[in-house]
Amino acid sequence: MNPMSLKENRVHGRPMYPISVYHMECAPGGTVLECHWHSEFEFILVTKGRAVFQVGTGSFELTEGEAVFVHSGEIHAGDPVGEAGCSYSAVVFGAELLTGSMDLVQEKCVDPLLQRVCRLPVKITGAAEWGAEVIRLLGRMLESSAEETASQVLATKGLLLLIMAQLFSQGEAGEVPKAALWKTEQIKTALHYIHEHYQRTIRLKDLCLLTNMSEGHFCRVFRSVMQYSPIDYINKYRTQQAAKLLERTDKKIAAVAMDTGFENISYFTSVFKTHMGVTPSQFRKGTAGA
DNA sequence: CAGAAGGCAAAGCATCCGTA
DNA sequence: TACGGATGCTTTGCCTTCTG
């Protein structure tokens, strides 16, 4: 199993200008950001409401005006907090945007980040001066990166360099422990297996065989990385897929349950209600015509 | 020696089945 | 589709073993 295949396939920007900006809105009870990873770096800035973002092995609750930085290759996901929905803007950019050639920026900043021998702060709030500055620059960059005129392209790149300079001024020295990297890679392998096989029965034993861990140890490692137990995560993922099918198709509820790996309809109903707050039929009525 | 991983047992919870 | 009960799988805590 190749963990690389869990990687998000979406292309962010283009080779000459590897940056993309996304503005997302999440309705109450919806998913902010499904679990994934990519080789680009990313900033996520909450613009309305509250959400919990899981980045690598950490979990960060953000309110309006707070952000997280996602390192290259790091698993990340998001869930809304509270009954109100939330909005966020994300900037995804390739390391190539920071430097155009083999210069000191490449040697002192980009390479250590890509080789994971240095790590930058993840949660960014306005509480500290540097954080407030990053949030301010991020806001400006979100405005300037929408178009590709000469002045806006320059402004975006300049702002990005200033933001990275602020983060490096707070950088956590020291190499990321190899054990932590290994754990993350193993969990990526398990996640890929779950995403590929959620329509069938998935046993803990299967995931343990893939990752060469004992069942007990796998549960502990999975929870430490994902904040959920393996079965919790599988059910959450299946429920999200089922919600999409209920919304986008007129398949019967029993068929949706079967298509998303639930062999038992009553169990499907109870899991769905736990995660979504309503039964599948109530969910469909609520989204009909929406 | 410290941290990571495995083994084991108990408790909790997921899953299935029958029924309304 | 929902509910209740039975069964067995999953999770967790604690201790031991392994590895660098």
Side-chain angles (χ1 to χ4, degrees):
Chain A
M1 178 71 62
N2 178 8
M4 287 299 285
S5 49
L6 174 69
K7 192 177 170 184
E8 186 186 65
N9 292 322
R10 195 171 185 170
V11 176
H12 300 285
R14 51 202 174 77
M16 289 287 283
Y17 193 55
I19 182 168
S20 288
V21 172
Y22 305 99
H23 300 285
M24 309 297 284
E25 284 194 21
C26 173
T31 300
V32 175
L33 188 63
E34 283 189 22
C35 178
H36 70 289
W37 70 282
H38 42 67
S39 57
E40 291 88 355
F41 299 105
E42 181 169 358
F43 285 102
I44 300 168
L45 173 69
V46 172
T47 52
K48 197 182 85 186
R50 283 192 300 155
V52 172
F53 286 92
Q54 181 236 318
V55 181
T57 56
S59 182
F60 307 89
E61 184 170 336
L62 304 187
T63 56
E64 191 174 322
E66 295 183 332
V68 284
F69 174 64
V70 181
H71 289 72
S72 167
E74 212 160 37
I75 297 170
H76 52 292
D79 285 313
V81 174
E83 293 308 306
C86 72
S87 304
Y88 69 93
S89 296
V91 185
V92 185
F93 62 98
E96 318 86 74
L97 193 66
L98 298 174
T99 176
S101 57
M102 277 307 294
D103 60 8
L104 215 51
V105 173
Q106 178 82 37
E107 186 187 317
K108 288 196 171 291
C109 310
V110 176
D111 286 347
L113 277 180
L114 294 179
Q115 291 158 13
R116 303 186 188 188
V117 294
C118 97
R119 193 170 166 75
L120 301 178
V122 175
K123 187 172 179 180
I124 305 159
T125 71
E129 204 172 310
W130 70 269
E133 177 68 359
V134 169
I135 301 290
R136 194 181 63 77
L137 293 168
L138 211 46
R140 275 185 63 192
M141 194 170 72
L142 287 167
E143 290 166 19
S144 72
S145 59
E147 290 180 39
E148 292 187 15
T149 63
S151 66
Q152 281 168 329
V153 167
L154 283 167
T156 297
K157 187 161 179 169
L159 288 165
L160 190 58
L161 289 169
L162 285 172
I163 290 169
M164 296 306 286
Q166 287 291 336
L167 290 185
F168 267 93
S169 74
Q170 305 297 319
E172 297 162 22
E175 193 165 349
V176 180
K178 282 199 170 59
L181 282 180
W182 184 81
K183 272 186 197 175
T184 307
E185 291 309 307
Q186 297 301 90
I187 296 308
K188 280 179 184 173
T189 301
L191 286 175
H192 176 253
Y193 184 87
I194 292 169
H195 292 182
E196 288 291 302
H197 297 88
Y198 74 92
Q199 291 169 308
R200 290 184 254 154
T201 303
I202 298 174
R203 291 259 170 264
L204 189 64
K205 213 179 287 177
D206 303 331
L207 301 174
C208 295
L209 278 172
L210 269 177
T211 54
N212 298 314
M213 288 186 226
S214 67
E215 293 178 9
H217 189 56
F218 177 78
C219 283
R220 279 184 281 262
V221 170
F222 194 95
R223 187 180 277 283
S224 76
V225 174
M226 299 299 297
Q227 322 296 322
Y228 293 99
S229 70
I231 297 300
D232 267 352
Y233 180 81
I234 292 169
N235 283 339
K236 184 168 173 275
Y237 188 74
R238 282 176 170 159
T239 301
Q240 285 166 359
Q241 304 310 311
K244 284 181 193 169
L245 286 177
L246 289 169
E247 223 167 7
R248 297 172 190 173
T249 71
D250 55 2
K251 282 186 175 182
K252 288 186 174 175
I253 287 168
V256 169
M258 297 302 147
D259 284 355
T260 49
F262 292 96
E263 289 173 21
N264 183 281
I265 299 161
S266 83
Y267 183 60
F268 168 63
T269 303
S270 109
V271 168
F272 194 94
K273 194 171 179 184
T274 302
H275 287 277
M276 305 299 286
V278 291
T279 64
S281 60
Q282 288 168 338
F283 178 83
R284 177 167 266 164
K285 278 176 199 159
T287 58

